[in-house]
Amino acid sequence: MQVVVLLAGVVDPKWRLDRLGLRPGTELADESGLPRRLSPFDEAALETALKLRDADPAVRVTAVLPGDVGSDALLRGVAAFRPDRAFRFDTSGLAPWDPRAAVRLLGLAVGAACGCPDLVLMGREFGDCDDGVLPAALAEAQGWRFCGLAHAVAIADGRFVAHRIRGPREELLRLPPPALVSITNDRGNRLRHPLMKNVMLAKRGPVEVVTPQAGAIPRAVVARSLAVVPPPQRGAGACRILSGPVDAQVAELAAYLRARRQAAAP
Amino acid sequence: MESMEADILIVGGGAAGFACALEAAERGATVLVLEKQPETGGSSAMSGGCLAFAGTEMQREQGIEDSAELLANDLKQLGGTDADPALIAAFATHQLETYDWLKAHGQVFSPALEASSGQSVPRVHTVDPADMVRLLAARCRTTGKVTLLVETAARRLQHDPAAHRVTGVLAEGRDGPIDIRARNGVVLASGGFSRNPDLVRQFAPDCEHAVFVGGAGNVGDGLRMAWALGADLRDMAQIKGTFGKHPTDELNNHSCLCVYKGAIAVNQDGRRFVDESLSYKLLGAACLRQPYGAAFQILDEPILRSGDNEVRILDFERRLEEGLFIQADTLEGLARQIEVPEEMLTKTVADYNAYVDSGEDREFGRKHLVHNHGALRRIETAPFYAYPSTAAVYGTYCGLRVDPAMHVIDVFGERIEGLLAAGEVVGGFHGNAYMTGSALGKALVFGRIAARTALGAAAG
């Protein structure tokens, strides 16, 4: 049973993004020097894959992380969870702005993992450049069955059983392979912690990189600039973030509440 | 250049700084507190909130017999020959009045008292540490005598070489340099240096694999400023990581000490490696010598349920809910999950249980749950748990040599007049090991002593 988990990776939100723009000469956002980490949806997808292997040792998990050399540290972090194989699908110079190109790229990445996957798992949103369409678009492009927004997957009678919540109901979708399931984060699929031993071994181990053929991914959309656009002015009564020293914030909030109380008094 | 003046100038807005400021203000002094971060609190606010007090009314109400003498004996036993008996005596003498002082200022303690690292009886008095610092800061404000400058860093001590006396500091504020004169003295309460990799590498190369936790401002400012004036240093060779930090969890900044409730510690080979009742500083040092610098605390269901959710280092159930414990119905299953040899882990637990039954730990001589407190218990009731653990340097527990009045002492054994220190920047108190609650306790007790000394010196 071949399970491929596609991981996007995002810039670690704990770090301040001092600048926003394209890296000179490329279509890539300039995130150089900023550490990357798995998004919550990546983590949920990876944990779902590991749970499938816990339940059935015949499951083989391959983790694929598209990215350039800046993602290698993150790949080592993924390797610490001991998937059967983990590699970076080299996207140096390729930008994921174009969903059609991104789908093509991810299809090649899965193909590099194994010829015929039984199950592909990915987060409900794939990184920062996805509007939530990539999982469905990839399944459509590859002709795989699809379930979106699942929070758990099990295997029963050779089929995948995807659990998802729809309003007040929990749905169970039975999908024969090959299938793609996008995973939403949930208390039950919170990513386990790697053992320190495996973290240290992964730090020392080699990084496998698979490079797609040049020109394999035709693109329709080209990014020419990336900039911050100030939000539109809000009207009176809109939210405002208090700033400055905490004491000053507390004083301002207290004054505001007092004024509201006085205004509301009969 | 802007200039300012106060009776006492305090560098650092953590527990030591505000305890010093409040004590001084209550005695009528004007006080200036410099905090280089935008917020006050420092490492104190990040700490486990444990305070080691002895002989308190809480202990009496719970039938716990404790005293300043027993506290001092525990500290001497832990610290060995490196711990300064005069500093221990100063702490033991003034800790109970500091407990009462805190309560009088409205500090509320958690009702449960626990025994932890280095304690012969339960004497961990638990507070929310961030709230405690905020309380002290608020009390300082109400005196009208304390001025707090945030985002203002002390850069250099101003020194009169002829008198060998510190007269103030040169600080850097939001609007530029400030020349600050302190009529009665400068008190360094600027914390340790756990966030300064160069100093850590210089003084604690053995902690290369340890996790470092501490206030962002803990880069050794006060230490270096006093060092530049010839201050002597103490305990610099005693920096050790504290055992019990989950090595890959980034959300919890506190250690988890299941061993003090009856767990054992095993390495990646499934073998015990230490007497688990020792101070968690010593456990941390032993852990870092194990393969991968990490270990597992192994426990069963009754031990897990014996945790105390009011005490951060004993809050097992919350960590279980957060998925930090690894759980299995059998020891063999647990061994598979943590990738240690199954036979070795089951043998280690069986041997340990036999030691518990016989009353003699033939491998490591463990006699109690923690220090001299608590009877050992078997590990036998499923489910079984493993808590991955390494050592974290929460505080450097070393620094400036001071006398019991908190005067900073130079390398020739002489006072640097006008310069005092309190809190984590002080060395010589802990020595070889560490008692839970003695760092935060030291911050308060020594901070108040420093204030009294500075004002007494002026009066004299």
Side-chain angles (χ1 to χ4, degrees):
Chain A
M1 182 77 70
Q2 295 282 351
V3 176
V4 177
V5 55
L6 290 172
L7 302 167
V10 293
V11 173
D12 190 336
K14 282 193 302 191
W15 289 67
R16 185 183 176 86
L17 193 61
D18 287 326
R19 58 194 180 279
L20 187 64
L22 293 178
R23 200 185 303 169
T26 74
E27 292 179 47
L28 302 170
D30 189 358
E31 297 165 346
S32 44
L34 294 172
R36 298 181 69 78
R37 60 173 301 150
L38 297 180
S39 77
F41 304 131
D42 286 333
E43 292 186 349
L46 179 57
E47 177 63 26
T48 303
L50 296 173
K51 275 192 166 72
L52 287 172
R53 189 179 62 178
D54 291 343
D56 180 359
V59 168
R60 180 180 162 83
V61 174
T62 302
V64 185
L65 181 69
D68 62 14
V69 68
S71 296
D72 282 356
L74 178 57
L75 184 67
R76 290 184 191 279
V78 171
F81 291 95
R82 298 193 68 191
D84 297 280
R85 183 186 173 198
F87 67 86
R88 173 165 62 81
F89 193 69
D90 189 25
T91 59
S92 299
L94 296 174
W97 306 110
D98 179 350
R100 186 166 167 272
V103 162
R104 174 101 174 126
L105 181 145
L106 294 176
L108 291 173
V110 174
C114 64
C116 300
D118 296 293
L119 176 66
V120 176
L121 297 170
M122 58 196 294
R124 60 181 285 187
E125 291 176 8
F126 197 73
D128 294 327
C129 302
D130 177 29
D131 297 323
V133 301
L134 280 185
L138 177 59
E140 174 68 16
Q142 298 291 331
W144 299 328
R145 288 166 184 83
F146 174 69
C147 170
L149 300 175
H151 62 83
V153 178
I155 302 173
D157 302 326
R159 293 180 172 227
F160 300 106
V161 182
H163 298 242
R164 68 179 180 185
I165 302 293
R166 276 285 179 269
R169 298 188 310 275
E170 180 173 3
E171 292 181 350
L172 275 65
L173 279 75
R174 290 181 172 77
L175 308 167
L180 187 151
V181 178
S182 79
I183 306 291
T184 190
N185 57 330
D186 176 80
R187 183 181 174 82
N189 60 29
R190 191 166 47 196
L191 182 59
R192 65 195 65 186
H193 291 275
L195 298 179
M196 197 60 192
K197 170 189 122 181
N198 294 328
V199 171
M200 306 270 283
L201 292 175
K203 279 183 180 172
R204 296 182 204 140
V207 170
E208 182 185 355
V209 181
V210 175
T211 306
Q213 276 187 334
I217 305 167
R219 285 141 59 206
V221 179
V222 175
R224 299 198 189 285
S225 67
L226 183 63
V228 176
V229 177
Q233 284 285 18
R234 295 183 176 185
C239 295
R240 185 169 66 81
I241 303 294
L242 298 178
S243 60
V246 169
D247 289 348
Q249 292 182 41
V250 170
E252 187 178 356
L253 181 60
Y256 172 80
L257 292 173
R258 279 192 209 100
R260 293 266 300 180
R261 187 171 60 183
Q262 285 170 1
Chain B
M1 184 188 303
E2 185 182 354
S3 62
M4 303 178 79
E5 191 164 356
D7 292 332
I8 296 181
L9 171 63
I10 298 168
V11 180
F18 281 117
C20 180
L22 184 53
E23 178 75 20
E26 287 177 332
R27 290 169 180 266
T30 59
V31 182
L32 197 55
V33 179
L34 306 185
E35 171 54 56
K36 71 175 178 181
Q37 299 296 117
E39 307 289 343
T40 56
S43 288
S44 304
M46 297 173 65
S47 72
C50 298
L51 289 155
F53 291 131
T56 64
E57 62 179 7
M58 282 181 68
Q59 287 178 307
R60 286 197 300 276
E61 287 166 4
Q62 297 184 30
I64 298 165
E65 288 188 25
D66 198 6
S67 65
E69 291 74 25
L70 184 56
L71 171 65
N73 285 340
D74 281 348
L75 287 167
K76 286 176 192 165
Q77 189 179 350
L78 280 170
T81 54
D82 285 335
D84 183 342
L87 292 184
I88 290 175
F91 180 82
T93 301
H94 295 287
Q95 49 86 25
L96 188 54
E97 71 185 45
T98 297
Y99 165 82
D100 292 333
W101 176 81
L102 262 186
K103 284 199 79 166
H105 278 294
Q107 179 62 55
V108 176
F109 294 91
S110 167
L113 293 169
E114 293 286 351
S116 188
S117 175
Q119 300 180 349
S120 292
V121 296
R123 64 167 72 100
V124 172
H125 295 66
T126 307
V127 300
D128 181 311
D131 278 351
M132 185 189 76
V133 178
R134 280 192 283 267
L135 173 71
L136 294 174
R139 292 289 182 268
C140 283
R141 276 196 300 277
T142 59
T143 66
K145 291 185 166 293
V146 179
T147 302
L148 169 67
L149 298 180
V150 295
E151 296 182 79
T152 304
R155 299 296 186 202
R156 295 288 185 276
L157 292 168
Q158 308 268 34
H159 182 238
D160 177 351
H164 196 28
R165 179 177 181 85
V166 169
T167 56
V169 305
L170 181 62
E172 185 79 26
R174 293 172 186 155
D175 301 320
I178 313 171
D179 180 8
I180 306 175
R181 315 297 289 181
R183 288 182 286 270
N184 292 26
V186 173
V187 179
L188 297 174
S190 49
F193 54 88
S194 62
R195 301 294 288 267
N196 184 325
D198 291 337
L199 285 179
V200 168
R201 198 174 303 116
Q202 184 175 351
F203 291 113
D206 291 344
C207 292
E208 179 190 356
H209 295 300
V211 177
F212 285 85
V213 180
N218 273 24
V219 295
D221 291 337
L223 181 82
R224 286 181 296 171
M225 285 191 291
W227 197 0
L229 295 187
D232 200 3
L233 307 178
R234 281 288 181 271
D235 289 346
M236 306 309 281
Q238 302 292 355
I239 299 171
K240 297 183 181 75
T242 295
F243 183 64
K245 172 78 176 72
H246 193 296
T248 55
D249 169 51
E250 297 175 354
L251 299 177
N252 288 280
N253 278 331
H254 302 100
S255 284
C256 179
L257 276 304
C258 313
V259 287
Y260 291 161
K261 289 291 188 179
I264 57 173
V266 304
N267 62 18
Q268 193 65 55
D269 298 326
R271 301 175 192 273
R272 289 175 68 212
F273 54 90
V274 71
D275 169 1
E276 294 90 345
S277 70
L278 295 177
S279 164
Y280 44 37
K281 260 181 85 171
L282 301 181
L283 300 184
C287 175
L288 289 178
R289 291 194 293 269
Q290 303 310 303
Y292 310 106
F296 300 96
Q297 298 181 66
I298 304 294
L299 56 152
D300 66 359
E301 180 71 8
I303 295 174
L304 182 111
R305 299 300 167 194
S306 73
D308 184 341
N309 294 345
E310 300 281 340
V311 180
R312 288 177 179 177
I313 57 175
L314 301 173
D315 185 354
F316 306 154
E317 289 181 341
R318 180 176 57 81
R319 289 174 167 94
L320 179 65
E321 290 170 6
E322 292 176 358
L324 298 176
F325 278 96
I326 297 163
Q327 179 179 349
D329 291 333
T330 64
L331 284 169
E332 290 82 357
L334 190 66
R336 285 192 293 276
Q337 289 194 57
I338 61 177
E339 300 180 17
V340 306
E342 293 175 33
E343 290 176 4
M344 181 52 67
L345 182 65
T346 52
K347 179 179 184 309
T348 296
V349 173
D351 288 350
Y352 178 76
N353 286 340
Y355 299 152
V356 173
D357 293 341
S358 69
E360 182 184 6
D361 174 1
R362 272 183 260 150
E363 285 184 281
F364 299 101
R366 183 180 190 181
K367 293 179 179 159
H368 298 284
L369 295 181
V370 53
H371 201 56
N372 299 320
H373 174 76
L376 301 183
R377 52 201 303 177
R378 291 169 60 88
I379 298 170
E380 58 186 355
T381 306
F384 298 96
Y385 301 91
Y387 192 84
S389 301
T390 186
V393 179
Y394 297 103
T396 34
Y397 308 119
C398 61
L400 303 174
R401 180 183 171 192
V402 294
D403 66 15
M406 301 302 126
H407 294 108
V408 176
I409 306 299
D410 74 10
V411 293
F412 300 111
E414 296 171 358
R415 284 183 192 171
I416 301 176
E417 295 294 343
L419 185 62
L420 303 103
E424 195 187 341
V425 72
V426 165
F429 175 61
H430 300 293
N432 185 46
Y434 173 74
M435 177 190 291
T436 301
S438 60
L440 200 57
K442 172 181 79 169
L444 300 174
V445 173
F446 288 0
R448 297 180 68 224
I449 292 174
R452 291 197 289 262
T453 298
L455 296 175

